[in-house]
Amino acid sequence: MSLKMGIVGLPNVGKSTLFNALTRTAAAQAANFPFCTIEPNVGEVAVPDERLEAIARIGKSATTIPARMSFVDIAGLVKGASKGEGLGNQFLANIRECDAVVYVLRCFEDDNIVHVAGRVDPIADAEVVETELMLADLESLEKRAPNLEKRAKQGDKDAKLAFDLVERARRLLYEGKPARHLALGSPDEEKAFQQLQLLTAKPVLYVCNVDEAHAATGNAWTEKVAEYAKGHNAGTVVISAEIESQLAQLPNAEQREFLAALGLEEAGLNRLIREGYQLLGLQTYFTVGPKEARAWTIHKGDKAPQAAGVIHSDFERGFIRAQTIAYDDFVALGGEVAAREAGKARDEGKDYVVKDGDIMLFKFNT
């Protein structure tokens, strides 16, 4: 399953520094001037999950393969991007390809790093980005509306549904609210709404980039962002991109000492990735054998055949059943054989809704 989180924000808020730390590379040039990221950099990161290592030890697996998530470092946005200002057109096109959007907001003072607006105000920064996306969505909807209205009047049911959604979304955007606030009443509406590909319909996570002194506790700005996020159906994570960048260069053993010295229990990036999972409604199941133990990403609510299809489409088409062991049972009993002997290995059919942490073995027709 290919999932992308787009990292966006105004210039000089720490986007590229955060991206470098996420991917543990120097692929994104972090520099103190606007638009230093011209082409979007894409990096895949492992989803941290201690359960995978435990499963691998019990299964005596030769290798472990974690689930992965892609992050896209997108060029800095400025006011007027919806009309092509700065790198606006490219910025908007790159966001459209992402599944969710991470707004990086500057929540620190530093006279050596110039803010594009000459002041630190994370709420204002968020509103600039959101406004540009809403303006782009309005332009897109206004272009679609005449043709959809014409087809709807001719009796096209799909066009009628789409036109109704366009009108409702337009009203919402004119009120200054993003499209993700639109209430959808049926699966048909949800499908048609997704096809509109609105930028402000994407899930949002606000990342508060703080200085080292406030990495563990946050500050007055992060408190304001948290309150702001509640009204926008979004989550928040407090991170010091600079700390994370330093942390990414250290061996694992030294990372723990570094974090402890700062009063931090874990890397902020781990929290960011987990929040991203939560934001996208994702969960993990595992497969384990002598060659490898592997984590697979699926959506919450997916049934066994859909989970099998993440491995290979043939598994979903020919699905027969899935041997399923809960993670806690697998660990407590010491593996697959013991779980089967204890009656904890269940054969589940096509209607089984996969649970987070399930360890699965699929039976299928070729």
Side-chain angles (χ1 to χ4, degrees):
M1 181 181 293
S2 178
L3 297 161
K4 286 185 179 181
M5 301 275 286
I7 301 176
V8 304
L10 300 186
N12 291 353
V13 297
K15 299 184 311 302
S16 294
T17 302
L18 181 64
F19 176 83
N20 289 343
L22 271 165
T23 58
R24 296 174 182 254
T25 72
Q29 178 192 8
N32 184 23
F33 56 89
F35 313 127
C36 63
T37 306
I38 304 301
E39 294 296 334
N41 294 280
V42 181
E44 281 199 341
V45 296
V47 176
D49 196 326
E50 295 178 353
R51 297 175 299 180
L52 181 61
E53 297 298 329
I55 290 168
R57 285 194 299 271
I58 293 169
K60 295 182 173 56
S61 304
T63 61
T64 59
I65 303 177
R68 305 190 75 79
M69 181 179 288
S70 294
F71 283 84
V72 184
D73 179 27
I74 299 173
L77 174 145
V78 295
K79 187 175 181 180
S82 61
K83 300 299 181 184
E85 294 293 328
L87 299 173
N89 293 331
Q90 180 176 309
F91 174 94
L92 297 172
N94 293 334
I95 289 182
R96 208 174 297 279
E97 297 174 359
C98 295
D99 298 291
V101 186
V102 175
Y103 287 32
V104 180
L105 305 176
R106 178 170 169 172
C107 295
F108 65 91
E109 291 276 11
D110 189 335
D111 293 338
N112 295 318
I113 301 178
V114 180
H115 190 288
V116 70
R119 50 77 184 118
V120 177
D121 187 342
I123 302 301
D125 291 355
E127 288 175 342
V128 167
V129 177
E130 193 87 280
T131 297
E132 294 304 321
L133 299 188
M134 287 193 289
L135 289 171
D137 279 347
L138 271 172
E139 183 178 355
S140 172
L141 292 174
E142 286 167 358
K143 287 179 179 178
R144 294 171 184 232
N147 182 51
L148 286 173
E149 184 178 20
K150 180 180 178 180
R151 288 166 49 202
K153 288 179 177 179
Q154 293 172 345
D156 186 324
K157 291 183 179 179
D158 291 338
K160 184 177 180 180
L161 175 61
F163 181 65
D164 177 65
L165 289 170
V166 165
E167 289 299 282
R168 286 158 55 192
R170 286 168 76 181
R171 286 195 295 271
L172 197 65
L173 290 164
Y174 277 123
E175 292 171 3
K177 298 177 182 177
R180 61 181 173 275
H181 286 264
L182 189 65
L184 302 172
S186 70
D188 286 343
E189 279 197 345
E190 291 176 6
K191 182 178 180 181
F193 184 65
Q194 288 175 359
Q195 291 172 348
L196 295 177
Q197 294 186 307
L198 298 179
L199 299 171
T200 61
K202 296 180 184 296
V204 166
L205 178 66
Y206 296 113
V207 170
C208 300
N209 185 18
V210 299
D211 56 21
E212 180 177 314
H214 297 102
T217 61
N219 55 31
W221 284 313
T222 66
E223 291 175 6
K224 289 181 180 179
V225 173
E227 188 63 29
Y228 179 80
K230 288 180 183 178
H232 286 75
N233 296 341
T236 58
V237 178
V238 176
I239 286 180
S240 169
E242 187 58 38
I243 286 177
E244 300 298 325
S245 181
Q246 296 175 39
L247 189 66
Q249 309 305 316
L250 298 176
N252 288 339
E254 292 182 28
Q255 286 185 17
R256 290 190 290 272
E257 294 178 8
F258 184 72
L259 288 169
L262 295 171
L264 299 170
E265 294 182 2
E266 65 173 345
L269 298 181
N270 289 0
R271 298 196 308 276
L272 172 57
I273 295 168
R274 283 203 302 273
E275 285 291 336
Y277 243 51
Q278 183 70 25
L279 185 69
L280 292 168
L282 304 176
Q283 64 181 17
T284 301
Y285 79 87
F286 302 98
T287 55
V288 60
K291 289 186 178 181
E292 66 179 37
R294 184 161 184 165
W296 302 90
T297 300
I298 59 172
H299 288 97
K300 293 177 181 177
D302 279 355
K303 295 182 179 179
Q306 293 171 288
V310 173
I311 298 177
H312 197 286
S313 58
D314 287 348
F315 284 27
E316 183 172 4
R317 281 193 296 268
F319 179 88
I320 300 173
R321 63 183 182 276
Q323 175 186 279
T324 305
I325 305 170
Y327 170 80
D328 288 343
D329 291 334
F330 187 91
V331 172
L333 295 167
E336 179 185 348
V337 174
R340 279 204 309 267
E341 291 174 349
K344 296 296 185 179
R346 314 179 310 273
D347 278 343
E348 301 287 2
K350 293 182 178 181
D351 293 330
Y352 176 67
V353 178
V354 180
K355 295 179 177 59
D356 185 57
D358 278 349
I359 295 155
M360 308 188 79
L361 175 64
F362 297 104
K363 309 291 183 183
F364 63 98
N365 286 319
T366 56

